[in-house]
Amino acid sequence: MSGESKPTSDVTANTDQPLPKPKRWWRNPWWFLSPFWLCFVSFWFGFETLLLRNIPMLILMIAIIGGMWFIPQLATWRLGKLEKDKRQHLKAFGHVGLIMCGWLLYFCVISLFMRYCVPYVVISPETTHVTRPLNDEGFIDVIAALEERFAAKCKPEDNGFRFLLERFGMVEMYRDSSPEQQKFFGGILNEMLAIPGHNVPDAVYQSPYQFFEERFKADENTDDDAEQAVSLSDRLNEKMNPLFERPWDGAAMLEMAEWFAANNKALDLFGEAVRFPDYYAPIVRENKRTLLRELSDFDLRFARELVYGLQCRVMHSLTIGDTDLAIHDAMTIARLADARMRHATSDFHFATAVGFREKAELAFIDIIRHGDLSSEQLIRLRDERQLHDFLMPVSDLVFQTRMRLMQIQFEMMAFLPDFLTLQSSPPSTYETTMYFWVAPLLKTTVWTPVLKDLQKKFDAWDEIATQPPGKRQIEAFSSQYQRHEMASNLHGNMMTLVQQYMWKGQAVTAFQIISDFNLSLEYPLFLSAVTAHYKTATRSRLLNIAIALELYKHDHRHYPASLDELAEKYLATIPDDPFTDGEPFHYRLEPQPTTDSHDATDSHEPQPGYLLYSVGSNSRDDDGVSGDDWHPQPADEEPAEAEPLPTGDDIRIRMPRERLPQKITGQDREVYFFRQE
């Protein structure tokens, strides 16, 4: 069949078809997915890893990403003779499995590497601010660092606290602690302070509150009409407030005679203790991992009760005309406040010292107001209190907050939350599960950049602390607080989170968010400490001016018309208001009432007094109205028809002090408890 075409050979057919192009390396799909892998690496490990700032994480990244490429290629080569579709399925399955194995490798290898080869954080000024001392875990020992900066360096025999502990004993001084704690801490304190083992305490103390509480309880047991009786706390307040506010009447002198007979020795011993070269209660740790838990907190009640007793004795001394003893007792409170201020290891101890100092200054005002002081006594009062007028600088407050935040970060690193380490009962299943899953992540997180960022924020606080004290410094701290609040709120913004993830990595960013959140929670406490610092400085300057005004009055028989008349002779310089940028305190003369129920025997025409005040934390002149003012509401006046009461937060000294009504009822009792000036 000539018309039939002959079939072409295989060779001819193969030569007619185009030959396949050789596969080039750039056509590999892995190269087309390189942007995806770059984004993945940046998202999880962060650009800090790619910029060689995190070498351990870089090594792990190379191992994971390299393994995810090499092992599937090896599997494809070994299974190359299989059919194409089966090879593709195995290859896809290998990719998924390898990703999961990569995460497992991440948690296992980096956990071991971080645990045994890399510390939780690099100890350096950029990350931890202080570089010593270290604890057993290799991190900064926060309590030891605070003790190194603020603790007294005196010998045990020069420590007034040791003298007090010898005379009163652990049971008396640490009433709020349990017998087990008293025994445990007592042994440590006796060793630290070198107290002789045969020492037997020989002093006891009962506060005026306890004295009247026992009497009122005894009265209530014999009271037939218990429903009409005033509650015990109200009766205590009504009895105690006059003892702190004004010289006593005959009834108070008789009631307190028994108390003085039993407690004068204890008050004298306390005055002797604070006049040692130093007065410092050492820090005794209950738990090395506990956040700034100190034994010295337990003795606060004992110190407060002694201060209450000294306040009572100041008023008693002014009543009987013993001004020297009143000055001595007021200086005892001032010395205690000065010692606690110098050795305040936390913001709580700082606040306690501020409270004692305020009570001392109120006692000084009472002495000026009710005592007939000579010029020599005024000069001695001025000179002695200036020796014990220490005020912790703002930079130390920044250091305390910095150390507290570092301790919180360390507990996060070691995953030592209170509910797992400090609770008496065993952890629940949920808590154990959380520990199992969260602990590896916390331990493998690279904390160095987190702490670096934290220290940068505190460095900004330190720069503000070096500024001259005044309104600008306060506003600078307030602006920092607003910035921290904004940063905390921005962490809820997804775009901000993505940006931080892309730069620092998922693991680091997650815990940096927690750090910023902790910082935003701690900052209000720091701001309150700064405000207390300024209020304390303000009251100290006002008291210096008040003493100078009394010296002027002693020489001229009247107060000056302006503070400028005190310059040079009575004050080297006229202090300005700390809540302003160099502005003076407000001062004006005030006419005094012609009758005073407490000075009815005085037939002389009252001399004009004065009002001296600071604008306070709101930086606004409120005309001397204090935030603690109590305005009694007339009983026959409806609340809706009453005029709005003046408000303000000025800090003032008024001579003479306005008297408060003695009889109050209902909800006003709580307000009446506070001291008015």
Side-chain angles (χ1 to χ4, degrees):
M1 295 174 58
S2 60
E4 295 180 359
S5 61
K6 297 181 179 181
T8 58
S9 63
D10 294 339
V11 177
T12 306
N14 290 337
T15 55
D16 293 340
Q17 295 179 358
L19 296 175
K21 295 182 179 180
K23 192 173 182 179
R24 305 298 183 184
W25 61 270
W26 60 79
R27 294 188 178 183
N28 192 311
W30 283 85
W31 291 103
F32 289 104
L33 293 177
S34 57
F36 165 76
W37 291 114
L38 181 61
C39 292
F40 169 77
V41 170
S42 301
F43 181 81
W44 189 260
F45 296 100
F47 279 112
E48 290 191 349
T49 298
L50 298 181
L51 297 177
L52 303 182
R53 297 181 182 179
N54 192 346
I55 302 299
M57 197 71 78
L58 178 64
I59 297 173
L60 182 65
M61 178 195 72
I62 295 174
I64 293 177
I65 303 302
M68 293 176 65
W69 176 85
F70 176 73
I71 296 179
Q73 297 297 325
L74 180 63
T76 303
W77 173 72
R78 294 287 295 176
L79 302 174
K81 295 182 179 181
L82 295 178
E83 297 179 4
K84 182 177 180 181
D85 55 345
K86 292 183 178 181
R87 292 201 308 269
Q88 293 294 335
H89 288 303
L90 286 173
K91 192 174 182 179
F93 180 77
H95 287 170
V96 175
L98 211 56
I99 291 176
M100 299 180 66
C101 292
W103 293 124
L104 182 62
L105 178 67
Y106 169 77
F107 279 107
C108 293
V109 176
I110 204 66
S111 294
L112 294 174
F113 186 78
M114 289 290 189
R115 177 67 180 86
Y116 296 104
C117 302
V118 179
Y120 291 133
V121 65
V122 177
I123 305 298
S124 68
E126 291 77 17
T127 55
T128 58
H129 186 68
V130 295
T131 57
R132 62 182 181 88
L134 303 180
N135 56 19
D136 298 338
E137 287 81 7
F139 192 69
I140 298 298
D141 191 332
V142 172
I143 296 180
L146 289 168
E147 199 171 26
E148 191 172 281
R149 178 156 178 167
F150 298 113
K153 307 301 188 294
C154 62
K155 299 178 181 179
E157 56 270 19
D158 294 334
N159 190 349
F161 180 80
R162 176 183 184 267
F163 170 80
L164 214 60
L165 194 60
E166 281 184 303
R167 304 306 298 270
F168 288 91
M170 285 289 298
V171 176
E172 179 73 11
M173 291 186 61
Y174 292 86
R175 300 171 185 171
D176 291 343
S177 58
S178 64
E180 293 77 13
Q181 287 175 323
Q182 292 176 2
K183 183 178 180 181
F184 173 72
F185 292 131
I188 299 176
L189 280 176
N190 291 343
E191 183 179 353
M192 295 177 64
L193 299 175
I195 296 178
H198 60 275
N199 177 69
V200 178
D202 62 348
V204 293
Y205 178 73
Q206 182 187 40
S207 69
Y209 278 102
Q210 294 172 326
F211 175 77
F212 284 107
E213 185 178 14
E214 291 181 0
R215 288 200 168 192
F216 291 155
K217 285 182 178 179
D219 294 341
E220 287 181 357
N221 292 334
T222 59
D223 193 355
D224 297 330
D225 192 7
E227 295 182 357
Q228 301 297 327
V230 184
S231 66
L232 178 62
S233 60
D234 290 338
R235 295 176 68 184
L236 281 172
N237 289 339
E238 291 178 359
K239 176 61 68 174
M240 292 304 302
N241 289 340
L243 298 179
F244 296 152
E245 293 178 359
R246 55 181 173 269
W248 298 353
D249 54 19
M253 296 285 288
L254 291 175
E255 287 179 327
M256 294 295 288
E258 181 182 349
W259 180 84
F260 276 122
N263 295 279
N264 267 332
K265 177 183 177 181
L267 296 178
D268 292 338
L269 289 174
F270 188 60
E272 186 178 350
V274 299
R275 283 168 173 80
F276 271 64
D278 213 327
Y279 181 93
Y280 172 68
I283 299 176
V284 181
R285 306 186 187 188
E286 185 175 8
N287 188 323
K288 288 186 177 181
R289 297 185 183 276
T290 306
L291 179 63
L292 301 182
R293 187 176 179 85
E294 297 139 306
L295 172 65
S296 51
D297 295 348
F298 291 128
D299 74 320
L300 285 179
R301 179 180 177 181
F302 182 74
R304 288 193 186 102
E305 290 175 351
L306 281 164
V307 168
Y308 290 148
L310 289 171
Q311 286 181 286
C312 288
R313 201 162 76 168
V314 166
M315 284 300 177
H316 175 266
S317 301
L318 293 175
T319 302
I320 64 177
D322 192 350
T323 309
D324 289 332
L325 181 58
I327 295 175
H328 179 275
D329 288 341
M331 282 307 309
T332 298
I333 305 176
R335 286 171 174 267
L336 173 68
D338 182 80
R340 296 194 71 98
M341 180 74 72
R342 293 179 186 275
H343 307 311
T345 55
S346 65
D347 56 346
F348 175 69
H349 290 169
F350 170 77
T352 302
V354 168
F356 287 147
R357 181 163 171 168
E358 183 176 0
K359 293 182 183 300
E361 289 165 350
L362 291 174
F364 288 134
I365 294 297
D366 287 331
I367 292 172
I368 294 174
R369 180 176 289 115
H370 302 295
D372 188 11
L373 300 180
S374 64
S375 59
E376 291 78 10
Q377 288 176 318
L378 285 169
I379 293 174
R380 179 166 61 88
L381 176 64
R382 179 196 63 189
D383 295 342
E384 189 173 357
R385 69 165 295 275
Q386 286 180 353
L387 294 175
H388 305 282
D389 197 29
F390 175 79
L391 179 60
M392 176 176 284
V394 179
S395 58
D396 283 348
L397 297 176
V398 175
F399 181 81
Q400 290 178 353
T401 308
R402 189 196 294 258
M403 292 294 104
R404 185 168 62 253
L405 261 295
M406 281 179 53
Q407 179 74 8
I408 294 175
Q409 296 299 318
F410 166 63
E411 293 189 352
M412 289 174 57
M413 288 182 236
F415 195 65
L416 299 169
D418 291 348
F419 66 84
L420 284 176
T421 59
L422 303 179
Q423 64 179 8
S424 57
S425 59
S428 64
T429 304
Y430 170 77
E431 294 166 347
T432 305
T433 305
M434 285 290 295
Y435 181 87
F436 178 79
W437 288 106
V438 177
L441 182 59
L442 286 168
K443 289 180 179 296
T444 58
T445 299
V446 182
W447 289 93
T448 298
V450 176
L451 286 184
K452 279 186 177 180
D453 183 75
L454 188 68
Q455 299 306 329
K456 286 181 180 179
K457 292 182 173 66
F458 278 110
D459 290 341
W461 298 12
D462 271 329
E463 291 182 4
I464 299 175
T466 59
Q467 297 179 5
K471 183 178 179 181
R472 294 181 182 178
Q473 187 183 60
I474 299 174
E475 291 177 347
F477 279 123
S478 299
S479 64
Q480 285 286 322
Y481 175 54
Q482 296 172 359
R483 188 177 306 170
H484 292 318
E485 277 194 326
M486 291 177 60
S488 179
N489 295 332
L490 285 176
H491 285 321
N493 188 303
M494 183 58 67
M495 193 62 188
T496 305
L497 285 177
V498 171
Q499 291 175 356
Q500 293 195 6
Y501 284 154
M502 292 291 290
W503 177 251
K504 296 178 181 178
Q506 193 271 345
V508 173
T509 302
F511 295 103
Q512 190 162 344
I513 292 173
I514 299 176
S515 299
D516 289 343
F517 180 72
N518 290 334
L519 190 64
S520 65
L521 292 179
E522 290 291 330
Y523 205 78
L525 298 176
F526 171 73
L527 273 185
S528 64
V530 172
T531 303
H533 169 91
Y534 271 88
K535 288 183 177 180
T536 304
T538 300
R539 287 192 294 266
S540 177
R541 296 184 185 185
L542 289 174
L543 183 57
N544 288 337
I545 296 176
I547 295 175
L549 288 170
E550 294 302 317
L551 287 170
Y552 183 96
K553 182 182 178 182
H554 191 275
D555 293 341
H556 300 83
R557 305 296 181 185
H558 61 81
Y559 291 116
S562 68
L563 296 180
D564 294 336
E565 299 181 37
L566 302 175
E568 295 184 0
K569 182 177 180 180
Y570 302 98
L571 286 173
T573 57
I574 306 298
D576 52 22
D577 188 347
F579 284 103
T580 65
D581 289 326
E583 298 179 10
F585 288 105
H586 294 267
Y587 169 82
R588 67 170 179 262
L589 296 176
E590 285 188 340
Q592 298 304 306
T594 56
T595 60
D596 191 339
S597 59
H598 299 282
D599 299 318
T601 58
D602 190 0
S603 59
H604 297 284
E605 187 70 18
Q607 295 291 329
Y610 67 82
L611 176 63
L612 176 68
Y613 66 93
S614 159
V615 296
S617 57
N618 63 5
S619 300
R620 184 182 68 243
D621 184 2
D622 297 315
D623 199 32
V625 176
S626 172
D628 293 333
D629 281 346
W630 178 67
H631 306 275
Q633 183 72 35
D636 56 348
E637 186 174 359
E638 296 295 333
E641 299 178 359
E643 297 182 0
L645 300 175
T647 59
D649 71 341
D650 292 350
I651 304 173
R652 73 185 182 194
I653 293 178
R654 171 173 273 139
M655 288 291 175
R657 180 182 55 187
E658 294 177 338
R659 301 295 182 181
L660 292 177
Q662 297 186 32
K663 294 183 179 181
I664 52 178
T665 58
Q667 61 183 0
D668 297 330
R669 284 195 180 92
E670 183 178 356
V671 182
Y672 180 66
F673 178 76
F674 295 98
R675 176 76 177 274
Q676 308 297 313
E677 290 197 81

